[in-house]
Amino acid sequence: MKAVVSVMGIDRTGIIAKVSGCLFNHGVNILDINQTIMQNIFTMVMLVEFKDDSAEYNTVMNELDGIGKEIGVDIRMQHEDIFNSMHRI
Amino acid sequence: MINTREIMETIKMIDDEHLDIRTITMGISLLDCIDSSAEKACEKIYEKITRLAKDLVKTGEDISRQYGIPIINKRISVTPISIIAGASDADNYVMFAQTLDRAAKATGVNFIGGFSALVQKGFTQGDRILIDSIPEALAKTERVCSSVAVGSTKAGINMDAVKLMGQIIKKTADMTAEEDSFGCAKLVVFSNAVEDNPFMAGAFHGVGEGDCVINVGVSGPGVVKAALSKVKGADFGTVAETIKKTAFKITRMGQLVAQEASRRLNVPFGIVDLSLAPTPEVGDSVAYILEEMGLERCGTHGTTAALALLNDAVKKGGVMASSYVGGLSGAFIPVSEDAGMIAAAECGTLTLDKLEAMTCVCSVGLDMIAVPGDTTAETISAIIADESAIGMINQKTTAVRIIPVIGKNVGESVEFGGLLGYAPIMPVHKESSAEFINRGGRIPAPIHSLKN
């Protein structure tokens, strides 16, 4: 299954390293990555792929929550279908 | 891949504009729980509800977390209890309400709807017992919601039921007087009641429905308001287009969640209800959408036209986004649950009469309106009669959820808490309608009911 990881917050070093490190540790593949600064806010969007729909998803989500709190950015992971259904007919 | 701008738009809708799925409601038929023994019927009801809905709340929470979209309520609707209990030996149905309440608590849902009777054309013995049991049932339970259908385009209006419901509402207010007559917030009187409505307090599972079904109600007034703020000064064609596009996006969320819930629970998907349901939070108000269109205050001249446009555009946008649309679908205008309505009622711009006009073009009716505690039963009945007539003639659902707050008067307000919000006490006309209400009988179905 695919999910979208989005990161928003004040830019600082190591954001991508922390997030991608967490994904790597759980064998989650990064399919696409896009990073911009929107209105002075660091914004990164990743499309990632899980090997299966296992409990790994929740584990990764919890770890990303922890990383977000640690480095002071807003990290969320959402099933890609929410965006597909809203923006594609 | 979906582009960053689209992803950010969705996240903004959820974070800043209060986009959420308002409710996943599981409809459960209790027809196979009928028993001549009331105790046995209650046992069967409890067993069936707790069996079918045991994973409802957890599934809702899992979907919410995985998709990153809040799902506010998980609820249950059941077959009107008057039909189920009518076969039993009981002469009071409070124990059925208490059974529903226990089942709601066991499954973790916050409301269960269906302590209901459909009497638009006449009463059965079961209907009468159920209606007489409503005040005590609502006083003795926490999560049970009740509704009574008193009219329809096909049947006309059962004015005996209208009269009775005025008395029942007053009695419910009295019996829950210590909680600011809160019982009345869980009681709806309908004309043209719908059988697949996922929203409380009026949800019940119609007899034409399957054994178990998942219905989903979406929301998102804040998203519509935010979209309209970007087209300030544009003509009405642009306004309608903007609402349609936004409604489409909102409804797609509902469709996705409904399908996912249906798959995970292995229960058929029923409908998505396209309603814009406000909450008392600032920024989640239907009134603010109307004001965004250019009205200084909701309730002033032009409000009905603005609401008509909104209601229609929501449906047009939403209908293509879902494979099955149903329920009430439109814009709700519950006064106590909408920060903009509360403000408009407090300053006197929004009156009961204007709200009545607005119900001609919105999805339901006079909703969550607090009136003085000394309002007579006949006046409440007359308000129900007016609202039922609007529903009957316009072939739409209308409802009355009115709270005569015992011990309070115009100038005071009442706090219901949570999603039910708070409301200023609104004035009603002092002139009597008693002689009219006391006539009894039925108002015949209108000529356009004869379509065959």
Side-chain angles (χ1 to χ4, degrees):
Chain A
M1 75 181 264
K2 291 177 188 167
V4 171
V5 177
S6 56
V7 183
M8 276 179 287
I10 306 297
D11 195 13
R12 51 161 285 176
T13 54
I15 298 180
I16 296 180
K18 287 258 185 194
V19 173
S20 54
C22 164
L23 295 170
F24 172 74
N25 288 339
H26 292 278
V28 182
N29 190 24
I30 300 173
L31 300 174
D32 198 352
I33 179 165
N34 190 326
Q35 185 223 306
T36 51
I37 306 284
M38 289 167 97
Q39 292 156 358
N40 293 328
I41 302 287
F42 171 86
T43 307
M44 178 177 74
V45 175
M46 281 176 171
L47 182 67
V48 302
E49 184 169 39
F50 284 76
K51 281 191 198 116
D52 52 43
D53 292 341
S54 66
E56 195 77 338
Y57 188 91
N58 282 333
T59 314
V60 172
M61 197 174 225
N62 289 335
E63 277 189 30
L64 289 177
D65 279 348
I67 293 171
K69 289 197 181 87
E70 182 194 325
I71 60 178
V73 293
D74 200 8
I75 304 181
R76 69 190 72 213
M77 183 165 71
Q78 292 162 280
H79 196 297
E80 71 156 352
D81 281 355
I82 187 173
F83 304 104
N84 287 332
S85 67
M86 184 179 269
H87 298 286
R88 298 287 180 271
I89 295 175
Chain B
M1 180 187 165
I2 301 288
N3 66 44
T4 306
R5 188 184 54 77
E6 290 168 326
I7 287 169
M8 288 302 141
E9 182 189 354
T10 303
I11 291 173
K12 189 161 177 273
M13 281 183 185
I14 294 168
D15 275 8
D16 302 340
E17 297 161 8
H18 305 283
L19 172 62
D20 56 51
I21 301 299
R22 185 49 47 86
T23 181
I24 298 180
T25 302
M26 179 181 270
I28 300 174
S29 168
L30 298 182
L31 288 172
D32 54 359
C33 300
I34 288 176
D35 200 292
S36 57
S37 153
E39 282 81 17
K40 275 194 188 152
C42 286
E43 275 173 33
K44 290 185 199 173
I45 290 170
Y46 184 83
E47 188 280 324
K48 183 166 188 185
I49 295 173
T50 50
R51 174 166 48 85
L52 291 179
K54 69 176 193 307
D55 295 327
L56 175 63
V57 172
K58 185 179 178 302
T59 303
E61 285 166 358
D62 287 349
I63 294 173
S64 175
R65 185 157 167 76
Q66 200 165 69
Y67 288 83
I69 172 114
I71 299 173
I72 309 296
N73 298 303
K74 275 70 72 178
R75 292 168 168 173
I76 295 169
S77 64
V78 297
T79 313
I81 291 295
S82 70
I83 297 169
I84 307 305
S88 77
D89 48 11
D91 55 8
N92 176 314
Y93 295 163
V94 174
M95 65 183 290
F96 285 88
Q98 287 169 322
T99 302
L100 295 179
D101 205 37
R102 276 198 299 124
K105 286 171 183 164
T107 52
V109 297
N110 63 351
F111 277 125
I112 184 164
F115 196 73
S116 306
L118 311 176
V119 297
Q120 57 268 35
K121 205 155 180 192
F123 299 95
T124 62
Q125 181 64 14
D127 294 330
R128 283 197 187 276
I129 299 174
L130 182 122
I131 293 173
D132 287 339
S133 305
I134 288 173
E136 189 185 345
L138 294 181
K140 286 191 172 165
T141 60
E142 255 180 63
R143 305 187 187 185
V144 174
C145 291
S146 177
S147 57
V148 176
V150 297
S152 74
T153 303
K154 270 286 179 197
I157 302 173
N158 179 349
M159 290 298 289
D160 292 325
V162 168
K163 179 180 174 184
L164 184 57
M165 286 315 295
Q167 296 161 358
I168 293 294
I169 288 172
K170 282 287 284 186
K171 203 167 164 194
T172 304
D174 276 328
M175 289 189 75
T176 54
E178 284 180 9
E179 308 161 84
D180 279 331
S181 305
F182 181 67
C184 298
K186 299 180 286 180
L187 173 58
V188 184
V189 185
F190 274 119
S191 179
N192 288 324
V194 296
E195 304 206 330
D196 53 8
N197 161 28
F199 286 101
M200 294 296 168
F204 65 88
H205 185 73
V207 289
E209 297 281 316
D211 193 53
C212 188
V213 71
I214 287 291
N215 297 322
V216 165
V218 299
S219 185
V223 184
V224 176
K225 184 193 176 287
L228 284 184
S229 69
K230 292 175 196 142
V231 294
K232 246 184 191 13
D235 75 345
F236 286 112
T238 310
V239 172
E241 274 304 305
T242 305
I243 296 169
K244 275 160 63 181
K245 284 180 189 156
T246 311
F248 177 84
K249 290 177 183 174
I250 295 170
T251 308
R252 293 285 281 186
M253 295 290 91
Q255 171 79 8
L256 174 70
V257 168
Q259 280 176 329
E260 195 56 28
S262 157
R263 188 183 67 78
R264 292 186 189 194
L265 290 162
N266 197 24
V267 168
F269 158 49
I271 56 97
V272 172
D273 187 317
L274 308 177
S275 292
L276 286 185
T279 68
E281 278 191 59
V282 173
D284 204 19
S285 152
V286 168
Y288 289 159
I289 298 175
L290 307 179
E291 292 173 7
E292 186 63 47
M293 285 191 214
L295 301 168
E296 186 180 345
R297 183 73 82 182
C298 176
T300 190
H301 305 292
T303 301
T304 310
L307 184 58
L309 182 154
L310 172 66
N311 202 47
D312 185 60
V314 164
K315 287 182 211 172
K316 285 175 178 162
V319 78
M320 190 183 149
S322 171
S323 42
Y324 298 96
V325 173
L328 298 167
S329 287
F332 289 150
I333 52 168
V335 175
S336 76
E337 300 172 12
D338 186 311
M341 297 275 173
I342 294 167
E346 271 174 342
C347 73
T349 314
L350 186 62
T351 62
L352 208 52
D353 291 338
K354 188 63 182 180
L355 277 164
E356 186 183 312
M358 290 161 72
T359 64
C360 301
V361 299
C362 78
S363 74
V364 197
L366 292 174
D367 198 11
M368 288 305 287
I369 291 166
V371 296
D374 61 2
T375 307
T376 65
E378 289 84 1
T379 295
I380 292 172
S381 293
I383 291 170
I384 294 170
D386 282 342
E387 212 41 46
S388 299
I390 290 170
M392 174 182 76
I393 295 294
N394 294 304
Q395 305 178 71
K396 74 184 285 290
T397 303
T398 50
V400 174
R401 183 160 52 145
I402 193 165
I403 305 110
V405 186
I406 303 300
K408 293 212 168 168
N409 227 315
V410 176
E412 294 178 273
S413 65
V414 57
E415 176 83 46
F416 296 116
L419 281 178
L420 295 173
Y422 81 98
I425 310 286
M426 298 179 77
V428 297
H429 292 292
K430 294 285 177 207
E431 296 77 8
S432 171
S433 316
E435 208 174 313
F436 176 76
I437 291 302
N438 286 329
R439 282 178 184 271
R442 280 193 284 145
I443 293 181
I447 186 71
H448 54 266
S449 70
L450 306 173
K451 277 188 174 168
N452 295 340

